[in-house]
Amino acid sequence: MCGIVGYCGPRDPVDVVVAGLRRLEYRGYDSAGVAVPADGRIREVKKAGRIANLEAALAADPLPSSGAGIGHTRWATHGAPVDLNAHPHVSADGRIALVHNGIVENWASLRTELEADGVAPVSETDTEIAVHLLARAVAGGIDLTTAMRQVAPRLEGAFTLVAVDAHDPGTVVAARRNSPLVVGVGQGEHFVASDVAAFIAHTREAIELGQDQVVTITADTVEVTDLDGAPGEVRPYHVDWDLAAAEKGGHDWFMRKEIHEQPEAIAHTLLGRHDVDGRLVLDELRISEEELRLVDTIVVIACGSSFYAGMVAKYAIEHWARIPCEVELASEFRYRDPIVGPRTLVVAISQSGETADTLMAIRHARAQQARVLSICNTNGSTIARESDAVIHTHAGPEIGVASTKGFLTQLVACYLLGLYLAQLRGTKFDDEIAAVVAELERMPVMVQQVLDDHGVVTELAAELAGARSILFLGRHVGYPIALEGALKLKELAYIHAEGFAAGELKHGPIALIEQDLPVFVVVPPQGRDQLHTKVVSNIQEIRARGARTVVLAEEGDPIAAAHASVLITLPKVSTLLQPLVAVVPLQLFACELATRQGHDVDHPRNLAKSVTVE
Ligand code: F6R
């Protein structure tokens, strides 16, 4: 986690860096700080709490002007979120300032080494060790870039480091391993940041950095090398979204804005996915058709909401492509010695593309010869780079910590993958595939209809604002949606919420049902086997025991409606695609309920958007 910004150029670096930190606040908001080199020494201001605290401190005690600056917004790992542990950390001689994202795993042995050398770290952080190592290196007469190349290989774990040297005030030096870093290329100015959102107000031209690369920026130059000093591969790209996409556009929360952007996000994710004959083309799929035909198992790995998207993927892939598909939490995958090999396709789903659990699982899978295809929303992210193939979702930046449009577009990408594999392996006829694709293309309109119809959800959130516990039930693809509904409520409203497979009720959870307990039930469309009937029976069972049933059912479903204390109608869609419409009221409900409870919806407590630690 943590957000990092560095800047070299003619603007006031403090303004640029603090504005950048604001856009990265989703990555962590325990403390924030900024440092500039000025008059031969580092000047820094850092404060525990949100960036507003830093801004107030800067207003009270402004930093001097400078040609460069660095800043950090923190999600605490080592050391409590107090001023002392906030970044930037400054060397004892006041010459070097450093910000860090990640975890230095061997910090204790390095600390012992420094203490033996007479250095006394003042904070509880692992980061501070690195600033003292850099200071010791430059004191030996080398420049900061060379020092970074010496120090970075000594650190074990994950890091993005960004540093400035008061003796070279127009330069920022950075390095990365297992943690994100991009360079922004402007006219007579350069940026480094955890995410392009930090500099999108100034430039849309970016450079993606590889593993173990060091970058040195000045106002006019960018130099990328590996840790040995050899020139590094430079991969420039153009960011296809702009500042407006990273702002709230009149909504109270980014989350609400992102919920309302979902029709457009789905449409963008579907753009250009088939040729004139209607055949699917996934051209970012750099695994040969022959290899994909030989795949005998698919293992989906992901975390949180992305994991629930993976659960939906299992139903779609097995139904359409007839390939056995497992879904596994990325954080569990490598610890159970999974059986994967050259004929396993591992599908990694990650909105941010930086989730450490997912990244580590990918590396484990690749080490076992599996091919990895990632479904990712962030261009140039580590997961996208380290995969054999990528299906990019085109949701645009997702800033709200709770995933919404990221989740919906992941579903779309999973459906496309399932259909593509079916096309390739001939398990579905072309016209059957084309019919599903055509239905997917109608989904933006369907989702818009749910958004336009949200009055019932708003009233329900007002009514249930004092609830202590809310349950969610679903079957088949409605089950992951029940889990997702519960997760959204937990993370935003901090109330007890649980999702169950409706068929599991009678095996235990039904004991939780008591008078007036709110239970959301996702009812599958009518007419598919006995699925609909079974879920209706489940509603009857809980209603008989006093539950207040909030039923999500397709329009024109009188049987489900008859058992609803509150009815939320969904547009008519096919069973497998129902998650795309069913999850939207649950997102709106969680957002609305949390708003009514006075919570900060975009920054739920204890969470960060991009979880780059295991
Ligand atoms: C929940 C949420 C998280 C993420 C999870 C994975 O609203 O956003 O559960 O889904 O942390 O993140 P990514 O998809 O970035 O790997």
Side-chain angles (χ1 to χ4, degrees):
M1 347 281 205
C2 304
I4 288 181
V5 190
Y7 174 72
C8 293
R11 301 173 206 261
D12 179 350
V14 175
D15 290 349
V16 174
V17 167
V18 173
L21 292 179
R22 275 224 161 273
R23 296 200 192 290
L24 297 184
E25 208 177 5
Y26 70 87
R27 300 181 62 86
Y29 32 86
D30 288 332
S31 65
V34 57
V36 295
D39 309 323
R41 70 188 178 97
I42 295 294
R43 298 284 305 277
E44 89 280 15
V45 174
K46 48 193 198 173
K47 279 279 154 211
R50 304 291 291 270
I51 288 171
N53 296 358
L54 171 68
E55 287 171 324
L58 283 166
D61 187 11
L63 287 173
S65 61
S66 176
I70 61 175
H72 185 271
T73 179
R74 179 169 187 240
W75 187 82
T77 52
H78 274 69
V82 294
D83 288 0
L84 185 70
N85 292 330
H87 303 212
H89 290 279
V90 179
S91 58
D93 59 3
R95 179 173 166 184
I96 306 291
L98 175 78
V99 292
H100 165 225
N101 172 28
I103 292 180
V104 178
E105 286 170 354
N106 58 335
W107 68 278
S109 61
L110 293 171
R111 185 181 174 118
T112 309
E113 173 189 316
L114 284 165
E115 282 169 346
D117 213 15
V119 179
V122 292
S123 76
E124 301 158 295
T125 66
D126 50 342
T127 307
E128 197 192 333
I129 306 306
V131 80
H132 295 307
L133 291 173
L134 284 172
R136 197 168 65 175
V138 294
I142 57 175
D143 65 14
L144 185 58
T145 305
T146 313
M148 188 66 92
R149 288 191 202 117
Q150 284 182 5
V151 170
R154 300 207 55 207
L155 310 180
E156 289 165 17
F159 55 80
T160 300
L161 302 170
V162 179
V164 279
D165 177 356
H167 292 186
D168 185 7
T171 301
V172 170
V173 179
R176 74 167 287 270
R177 174 185 298 160
N178 297 336
S179 182
L181 183 66
V182 282
V183 178
V185 182
Q187 303 280 332
E189 58 184 353
H190 288 102
F191 310 77
V192 287
S194 310
D195 178 332
V196 292
F199 51 73
I200 197 73
H202 307 294
T203 179
R204 291 168 72 180
E205 304 312 316
I207 296 174
E208 171 187 324
L209 286 186
Q211 185 77 323
D212 285 335
Q213 283 190 329
V214 174
V215 61
T216 304
I217 58 166
T218 65
D220 303 311
T221 59
V222 180
E223 184 200 34
V224 179
T225 62
D226 64 19
L227 293 177
D228 297 324
E233 189 193 350
V234 174
R235 284 173 288 194
Y237 66 100
H238 178 74
V239 182
D240 60 4
W241 48 271
D242 60 12
L243 183 60
E247 295 191 332
K248 283 189 204 158
H251 291 279
D252 51 352
W253 305 114
F254 276 112
M255 181 186 180
R256 207 186 298 272
K257 172 184 172 248
E258 288 159 9
I259 291 173
H260 285 272
E261 284 173 346
Q262 292 182 119
E264 194 188 2
I266 295 174
H268 283 168
T269 303
L270 285 167
L271 268 181
R273 301 294 190 182
H274 56 78
D275 63 18
V276 280
D277 302 322
R279 284 185 68 77
L280 284 172
V281 275
L282 300 182
D283 46 26
E284 302 128 310
L285 219 59
R286 297 179 302 261
I287 303 177
S288 73
E289 294 194 354
E290 194 43 41
E291 280 175 286
L292 287 174
R293 273 194 204 98
L294 288 174
V295 163
D296 62 10
T297 315
I298 292 181
V299 181
V300 182
I301 48 172
C303 303
S305 296
S306 302
F307 174 74
Y308 302 145
M311 287 175 73
V312 174
K314 172 182 166 70
Y315 290 91
I317 291 172
E318 290 192 339
H319 182 67
W320 290 328
R322 309 304 296 157
I323 306 172
C325 181
E326 297 165 28
V327 193
E328 175 133 21
L329 289 167
S331 53
E332 291 294 321
F333 180 73
R334 69 183 172 129
Y335 299 104
R336 70 166 175 94
D337 196 11
I339 302 167
V340 293
R343 294 182 65 183
T344 312
L345 179 68
V346 169
V347 176
I349 307 179
S350 175
Q351 187 285 130
S352 63
E354 299 295 346
T355 300
D357 291 315
T358 311
L359 181 61
M360 294 307 161
I362 288 175
R363 289 184 181 160
H364 185 82
R366 292 193 74 189
Q368 317 290 310
Q369 314 297 317
R371 305 307 302 269
V372 175
L373 180 152
S374 63
I375 291 176
C376 200
N377 193 41
T378 312
N379 218 328
S381 61
T382 312
I383 287 177
R385 266 203 318 273
E386 295 203 12
S387 301
D388 298 299
V390 189
I391 300 180
H392 285 288
T393 51
H394 296 291
E398 191 178 66
I399 310 286
V401 164
S403 185
T404 53
K405 61 177 182 171
F407 177 73
L408 245 72
T409 52
Q410 286 169 349
L411 291 177
V412 170
C414 290
Y415 292 133
L416 288 171
L417 176 62
L419 292 170
Y420 180 79
L421 291 171
Q423 173 181 288
L424 204 68
R425 297 161 73 104
T427 47
K428 283 274 159 206
F429 292 113
D430 284 356
D431 60 334
E432 292 173 310
I433 294 171
V436 184
V437 172
E439 190 181 0
L440 277 172
E441 285 175 339
R442 290 195 295 276
M443 281 298 158
V445 174
M446 303 293 186
V447 171
Q448 189 59 52
Q449 189 179 323
V450 181
L451 290 170
D452 292 343
D453 238 17
H454 67 269
V456 184
V457 176
T458 312
E459 282 167 28
L460 192 66
E463 186 195 317
L464 297 181
R468 279 191 311 118
S469 174
I470 299 183
L471 303 186
F472 295 77
L473 301 182
R475 263 180 192 246
H476 191 261
V477 289
Y479 170 40
I481 297 310
L483 294 170
E484 172 66 359
L487 178 63
K488 283 286 157 292
L489 207 55
K490 273 183 253 201
E491 67 181 326
L492 299 177
Y494 320 147
I495 59 177
H496 172 247
E498 262 189 272
F500 297 108
E504 278 293 293
L505 257 189
K506 54 191 170 300
H507 300 291
I510 201 162
L512 291 170
I513 306 293
E514 58 187 21
Q515 193 60 36
D516 294 329
L517 179 81
V519 184
F520 282 69
V521 188
V522 181
V523 181
Q526 303 164 88
R528 169 80 185 273
D529 307 319
Q530 296 171 17
L531 205 57
H532 179 267
T533 320
K534 290 272 189 266
V535 175
V536 170
S537 304
N538 296 139
I539 305 177
Q540 284 168 311
E541 286 157 17
I542 56 170
R543 212 155 180 234
R545 288 159 177 84
R548 184 158 167 65
T549 53
V550 180
V551 172
L552 290 90
E554 69 178 0
E555 56 205 3
D557 181 347
I559 304 168
H563 301 293
S565 312
V566 177
L567 179 68
I568 298 175
T569 45
L570 304 174
K572 272 187 188 298
V573 297
S574 59
T575 303
L576 273 172
L577 302 195
Q578 199 199 33
L580 287 169
V581 290
V583 75
V584 178
L586 305 184
Q587 298 168 337
L588 285 166
F589 176 72
C591 180
E592 192 55 39
L593 192 88
T595 306
R596 283 175 186 271
Q597 289 175 333
H599 297 316
D600 182 339
V601 167
D602 284 336
H603 303 103
R605 69 183 180 205
N606 306 334
L607 289 174
K609 180 77 184 155
S610 175
V611 188
T612 52
V613 290
E614 275 187 276

